[in-house]
Amino acid sequence: MALKALDYDSLNENVKKCQYAVRGELYLRASELQKEGKKIIFTNVGNPHALGQKPLTFPRQVVALCQAPFLLEDPNVGMVFPADAIARAKHYLSLTSGGLGAYSDSRGLPGVRKEVAEFIQRRDGYPSDPELIFLTDGASKGVMQILNCVIRGDGDGILVPVPQYPLYSATISLLGGTLVPYYLDESENWGLDVNNLRQSVAQARSQGISVRAMVIINPGNPTGQCLSEANLREILKFCYNEKLVLLGDEVYQQNIYQDERPFISSKKVLMDMGSPFSKEVQLVSFHTVSKGYWGECGQRGGYFEMTNIPPRVVEEIYKVASIALSPNVSAQIFMGLMVSPPKPGDISYDQFARESKGILESLRRRAKIMTDGFNSCKNVACNFTEGAMYSFPQIRLPAGALQAAKQAGKVPDVFYCLKLLEATGISTVPGSGFGQKEGVFHLRTTILPAEEEMPEIMDSFKKFNDEFMTQYDNNVGYSRM
Ligand code: DCS
């Protein structure tokens, strides 16, 4: 019988191939257990508000007023909202063509794009052009739009770090391109070795693949490392020599938990390098309101900035963005607020500074509690989370566990994470969902559970892990490091 278009056997094969582990088998099992009444600690997604983080007050006040403009007419509005929030709400409403219920330009509101450009200019010390900034529904949509423009078919390769956040592998599969992996070095705190990149490109080319773009995630997800300035220079030189567009995923730029390696944007390093690099290397950088100390994941706000992209291409990207009409307008206002928060002297400044500092300092402490906790466990080794929101410990699995996983028909790290979930309610993502070297196993957890719950979570992890290791250790050896 002829198949219908949406019968499984006739579906687009790229859709079936595409994998997204952050909401994969572990997440589904955790949701089932939760329905059965078990307490689940969802550390599989970097979703801070879902784990109890409170929204920052000022941006919610401004957006609340934008959503309910009749409140601005109320004579008592000043008793509930501070004057600077009222002024900002009026400012954003004046930038729209009909409030939050009207589509905006497909690139986003010009006034917000200007605020983003001013933020980039303050951050990097170089001019930024609002015409080259597009607002998007979260960084994800921006990444998908750009990959869509780059990938012409399976002969086109995209260099992606391994381990990586599966937005990249999944989108490349969906668009029918080829992922060209480059491995981060776990023994060098997940550093990036340019010689590795050269090998990856040479190998892909020998298979007839045209490598067109390179992705960096800085700070890294799931690996948590911050790239040094020297490393970024090498990467940009490499992109110059190989004519690659660099996709700089910088969504965790505010999430830094050490002082030795502050965040430096790819754009700043590129501009510092001067001509010919600063005039030639194509760069698209991404940012979001989902991360940082904002954690406004559900609002779906993001932007990308293009550098050295020809005007005709910018026009084409605009055309494609127009098919979706308009990014979320309330999310655009969150983005505007994120890039121009209250300043010293503003009525809301003290509260804003107190709230954001409180979140960041707590994340810094949690990063340490988690890394130290993992490193105190048998057969677990974990690099320090320098930035981002995740811990990515390596688990050395005893041969007995590898056998048991095989018998259960599971990948070994999936087997371990399922056992952890059943025993403790901690829902993690197996390292295989991000890619890892053959025969080496990890798991990813966020550092987001409430700080006061952290010691108990780490105790329960340690208890599970040590029992697991004793149960499966048959003295025949371990998975490799
Ligand atoms: N880039 C990276 C590196 C990310 O980690 C994420 C989200 C995104 C882009 C997309 O974010 P938005 O679309 O919300 O802007 N991180 C996912 C993760 O690993 N856990 O939670 C979400």
Side-chain angles (χ1 to χ4, degrees), residues 45-46 138-140 165 217 221 249 252 288 290-291 300 390 444:
V45 188
S140 308
Y165 168 51
I217 306 178
N221 175 9
D249 184 328
Y252 297 103
T288 182
S290 302
K291 311 295 169 183
R300 314 304 301 129
Y390 312 96
R444 187 192 80 167

